[in-house]
Amino acid sequence: MSRGSDGSQKKRLVAAICVVAIFLGFLYVYGGSIFGSQNSGSSALEYGRSLKRLGSSYLGAEDDTDGKQDESSSSFRQGDGEDNIVPKSFPVCDDRHSELIPCLDRHLIYQMRMKLDLSVMEHYERHCPPAERRYNCLIPPPSGYKVPIKWPQSRDEVWKANIPHTHLAHEKSDQNWMTVKAEKIVFPGGGTHFHYGADKYIASIANMLNFSNNNLNNEGRLRTVLDVGCGVASFGAYLLSSDIIAMSLAPNDVHQNQIQFALERGIPAYLGVLGTKRLPYPSRSFELAHCSRCRIDWLQRDGILLLELDRLLRPGGYFAYSSPEAYAQDEEDLRIWKEMSDLVGRMCWKIAAKRNQTVVWQKPPTNDCYMEREPGSRPPLCQSDDDPDAIWGVNMEACITPYSDHDNRAKGSGLAPWPARLTSPPPRLADFGYSSDMFEKDMELWQRRVEKYWDLLSSKITSNTLRNIMDMKANMGSFAAALRDKDVWVMNVVPQDGPNTLKLIYDRGLIGTTHDWCEAFSTYPRTYDLLHAWTVLSDIEQKGCSPEDLLIEMDRMLRPTGFVIIRDKQPVIDFIKKYLSALHWEAIDSSSDSVQDGDEVVFIIQKKMWLTSESFRDTE
């Protein structure tokens, strides 16, 4: 019995070893088909056809260690040269994550059982995943994805395959937001309160304010606009022809994909919500705020949301409000109108114009009205130690932000009309101790640098190749200013832990936001044509954050066939080269061929087109 039992055990052991050997052999062969093509430099399309979708759920703490590289690959070692480059690899997320926004992911909120106050929109604010719940995989494009239609045609139509969502076309069918026509989604330029077109609506507001030629730019004095609850951003789209740039803002709410449509169209836009935190813009950034049936309760919490708009408006700035409360005669609308009129009166706003469905209020140009209010008036003035330009993760306050002594004396912001303000030293330069000479030298430097960038890109781009551009470390905005003659717009990003130069950027008539690059940006995947990263990777590595995570995030934001311009030190360039094949990036200009500026090297990359299913069709 004992001997027979031993024999049976040996047979079972041999059988088990054989099964394991067969399984390992299968993994070797099949794994080679997945990763071998990636490292052998075969085409992106061939690689896409053989991809295995991974990352179907959040990577747990144990799984996360598999996705990470060894410690030596996550730092910029001086000894790492081109000869020491070892290719890395990344898995690809499951197809259902093709629209993932890591810090605005409602699935994360549900999974982590976050206790958020839905009544104040906390669930639409940023909530980033902890390290053990981050995706460490590449976001795939949707099935049938095409190279986006080029601007300016893209203002009016996009490929349905790129944003395969048509619910807004049905829900807003009577308001001309968007319609579906064959393979395209078409935008007639309508909105909830401007069915007959945003262009006519914009002209009517200018007419209400008696601006010359019914042009809302008011001879260059009105340049930056905040469109709250922007829908698909047709209001901002039609402002561009008047040399006005709008930050179109909306959350990823029940009207999903609004901002995704806006960015696919080539219109400046950002995912955000008026909830509990300040919007990521400095005080006195906008000449006009706009709300067309944005469904915001402006009376809540002592008017805190309206006071946030007040913080963002320049002296004498306007708030254009198109909503039933401004014209309807039913009891509830009349009540809201009365209470809102009382609130804005105590905020020292006055009606500049009122016609049909729209009212335009104007903010006072000086502090005089605030000083003349009765003692104890509500809302109060903000405390003197409150910094109105502190914006990253800062709670809103239900108080009025008074003007600086400079703005109060000047009875305004002292800005030149557009386009002169782009190159005029901003009045708030003095806040940083910067001189006009420093400002002008910065402009000259970036003009030379941008000209060189375009020379290096010349073989790859035409006049309409690029539209949505992000400067990941914008400083004073001179990179964007150097692109003035290009038909592009720039999202100027100021890192939240550096000098808060974002107010200089807005004073120049540009737009942007602040951000911490240790976290994901508030945008959909595939929304930018070009990313400019000036020492950004060096900066986050010094903060102890993962450069690998930032590369994956940059890939998420970048459109297929889009470009990355890295300006950094040589060890950073060598580090990035390890990941080119894993990210499906291709070096356009290597460090050996690039222009050097001190110890900084320019490295230009293009993202390849790849799909997890079906072949792609280039629309060019």
Side-chain angles (χ1 to χ4, degrees):
M1 292 287 292
S2 172
R3 193 174 300 170
S5 176
D6 290 344
S8 298
Q9 289 178 1
K10 288 178 180 178
K11 289 178 181 178
R12 285 195 294 271
L13 180 59
V14 170
I17 291 171
C18 291
V19 169
V20 171
I22 292 170
F23 178 70
L24 290 175
F26 173 79
L27 280 182
Y28 178 80
V29 174
Y30 186 66
S33 71
I34 297 174
F35 299 109
S37 62
Q38 177 183 356
N39 294 332
S40 66
S42 61
S43 75
L45 180 56
E46 289 172 350
Y47 173 68
R49 283 174 177 156
S50 65
L51 277 175
K52 169 81 170 171
R53 259 86 67 207
L54 300 174
S56 57
S57 62
Y58 280 101
L59 299 178
E62 295 180 1
D63 295 328
D64 192 56
T65 59
D66 296 332
K68 294 289 183 185
Q69 311 301 328
D70 59 90
E71 185 178 349
S72 65
S73 70
S74 296
S75 61
F76 310 135
R77 297 182 299 167
Q78 294 293 330
D80 280 355
E82 196 159 342
D83 294 338
N84 296 323
I85 293 173
V86 178
K88 304 297 178 181
S89 62
F90 291 119
V92 177
C93 298
D94 188 274
D95 283 347
R96 67 176 179 234
H97 301 312
S98 68
E99 294 174 353
L100 176 70
I101 311 164
C103 295
L104 296 171
D105 182 6
R106 284 194 293 275
H107 296 295
L108 173 71
I109 292 173
Y110 300 147
Q111 289 178 3
M112 297 191 69
R113 296 181 174 86
M114 295 182 182
K115 295 181 180 178
L116 304 175
D117 189 341
L118 306 188
S119 69
V120 294
M121 303 298 175
E122 275 192 304
H123 54 308
Y124 293 138
E125 295 180 325
R126 288 175 58 84
H127 302 283
C128 296
E132 67 273 11
R133 284 184 173 268
R134 286 183 179 177
Y135 286 93
N136 294 290
C137 49
L138 304 181
I139 304 296
S143 177
Y145 181 86
K146 302 180 182 185
V147 173
I149 294 171
K150 304 301 184 186
W151 182 268
Q153 184 184 353
S154 63
R155 187 195 73 173
D156 301 324
E157 59 182 24
V158 301
W159 294 116
K160 184 171 66 175
N162 292 8
I163 309 179
H165 302 285
T166 58
H167 54 282
L168 277 176
H170 303 299
E171 183 179 342
K172 303 292 183 179
S173 59
D174 61 331
Q175 298 172 15
N176 282 329
W177 278 32
M178 50 188 273
T179 58
V180 179
K181 291 186 178 179
E183 293 186 329
K184 294 178 179 178
I185 293 176
V186 177
F187 303 89
T192 305
H193 274 81
F194 44 93
H195 303 178
Y196 300 108
D199 51 348
K200 296 181 179 63
Y201 173 71
I202 291 166
S204 72
I205 295 176
N207 181 266
M208 289 168 64
L209 295 171
N210 295 317
F211 291 170
S212 62
N213 301 316
N214 292 339
N215 193 328
L216 195 60
N217 75 11
N218 194 22
E219 300 179 336
R221 288 187 286 272
L222 197 156
R223 165 64 181 172
T224 51
V225 169
L226 177 66
D227 187 15
V228 181
C230 65
V232 294
S234 289
F235 181 74
Y238 283 83
L239 285 172
L240 290 166
S241 60
S242 299
D243 264 346
I244 297 173
I245 189 165
M247 180 67 81
S248 295
L249 182 82
N252 182 15
D253 61 8
V254 292
H255 294 156
Q256 294 177 37
N257 311 105
Q258 301 170 94
I259 295 300
Q260 190 178 19
F261 280 120
L263 290 165
E264 183 75 8
R265 297 173 69 185
I267 304 166
Y270 184 81
L271 274 165
V273 66
L274 281 165
T276 67
K277 307 292 185 185
R278 283 178 173 174
L279 292 179
Y281 317 119
S283 67
R284 312 194 299 280
S285 291
F286 300 98
E287 275 94 28
L288 172 75
H290 173 255
C291 157
S292 174
R293 194 64 180 271
C294 52
R295 295 185 178 277
I296 292 174
D297 178 5
W298 297 107
L299 298 174
Q300 64 175 279
R301 292 175 284 159
D302 300 318
I304 193 169
L305 304 185
L306 208 56
L307 289 159
E308 173 65 359
L309 288 192
D310 183 84
R311 181 184 71 85
L312 296 174
L313 283 174
R314 298 196 194 279
Y318 300 96
F319 177 42
Y321 182 58
S322 297
S323 190
E325 296 85 21
Y327 62 87
Q329 296 299 308
D330 63 88
E331 185 176 340
E332 179 62 12
D333 286 326
L334 288 171
R335 181 192 66 80
I336 294 173
W337 173 254
K338 183 177 182 301
E339 292 185 20
M340 199 164 172
S341 297
D342 179 59
L343 171 61
V344 298
R346 287 183 276 114
M347 290 167 57
C348 292
W349 289 12
K350 294 182 178 178
I351 291 180
K354 188 174 185 291
R355 184 189 300 168
N356 299 330
Q357 300 179 349
T358 302
V359 61
V360 182
W361 283 290
Q362 187 172 21
K363 185 181 175 181
T366 67
N367 290 328
D368 293 350
C369 176
Y370 305 144
M371 299 300 106
E372 294 167 359
R373 298 189 313 160
E374 292 292 329
S377 294
R378 310 291 296 179
L381 296 181
C382 298
Q383 297 293 321
S384 59
D385 60 352
D386 176 75
D387 180 2
D389 300 323
I391 46 182
W392 185 251
V394 176
N395 289 330
M396 292 181 190
E397 296 286 344
C399 58
I400 297 170
T401 304
Y403 302 128
S404 66
D405 291 340
H406 170 273
D407 283 2
N408 189 53
R409 287 194 304 271
K411 297 184 178 181
S413 299
L415 298 175
W418 177 266
R421 73 171 62 172
L422 181 67
T423 53
S424 301
R428 291 193 271 188
L429 269 178
D431 294 359
F432 302 89
Y434 296 165
S435 67
S436 296
D437 185 57
M438 290 172 60
F439 174 78
E440 289 165 2
K441 286 181 177 177
D442 187 70
M443 276 199 303
E444 293 171 2
L445 173 66
W446 282 104
Q447 185 67 46
R448 291 196 305 270
R449 288 176 171 179
V450 168
E451 287 173 359
K452 185 61 180 179
Y453 291 161
W454 250 246
D455 286 344
L456 297 174
L457 283 166
S458 60
S459 64
K460 292 286 184 177
I461 64 172
T462 59
S463 60
N464 68 349
T465 301
L466 305 175
R467 174 61 186 169
N468 302 352
I469 294 179
M470 176 185 287
D471 189 3
M472 298 174 67
K473 186 181 176 182
N475 194 26
M476 289 189 279
S478 292
F479 169 83
L483 294 170
R484 170 73 177 96
D485 61 343
K486 312 291 184 187
D487 204 1
V488 301
W489 68 273
V490 180
M491 178 68 79
N492 293 281
V493 181
V494 172
Q496 53 82 29
D497 57 347
N500 191 5
T501 54
L502 194 57
K503 54 188 174 183
L504 303 182
I505 289 166
Y506 275 92
D507 283 357
R508 299 182 71 175
L510 304 169
I511 61 169
T513 186
T514 192
H515 187 62
D516 180 355
W517 284 116
C518 293
E519 300 177 1
F521 193 78
S522 293
T523 194
Y524 280 89
R526 303 171 301 281
T527 45
Y528 285 90
D529 298 301
L530 186 148
L531 306 177
H532 177 242
W534 171 43
T535 69
V536 176
L537 283 112
S538 292
D539 293 345
I540 71 153
E541 202 263 345
Q542 290 176 4
K543 292 172 62 176
C545 300
S546 167
E548 287 180 1
D549 286 351
L550 181 55
L551 289 176
I552 293 174
E553 172 62 6
M554 290 167 70
D555 182 78
R556 186 187 72 87
M557 295 189 293
L558 192 63
R559 285 172 167 175
T561 73
F563 298 88
V564 183
I565 300 175
I566 305 286
R567 176 180 285 275
D568 219 312
K569 296 178 180 177
Q570 187 64 53
V572 176
I573 307 303
D574 294 336
F575 173 85
I576 294 169
K577 287 181 178 179
K578 300 176 183 179
Y579 295 92
L580 291 182
S581 61
L583 292 162
H584 315 297
W585 291 2
E586 178 183 14
I588 298 303
D589 187 83
S590 66
S591 57
S592 60
D593 297 326
S594 61
V595 62
Q596 295 197 9
D597 191 346
D599 62 349
E600 293 176 0
V601 177
V602 175
F603 187 45
I604 299 182
I605 299 156
Q606 184 173 23
K607 179 178 178 177
K608 298 178 183 179
M609 173 74 88
W610 59 270
L611 297 174
T612 55
S613 59
E614 299 185 13
S615 62
F616 68 84
R617 289 168 289 178
D618 194 322
T619 63
E620 294 180 312

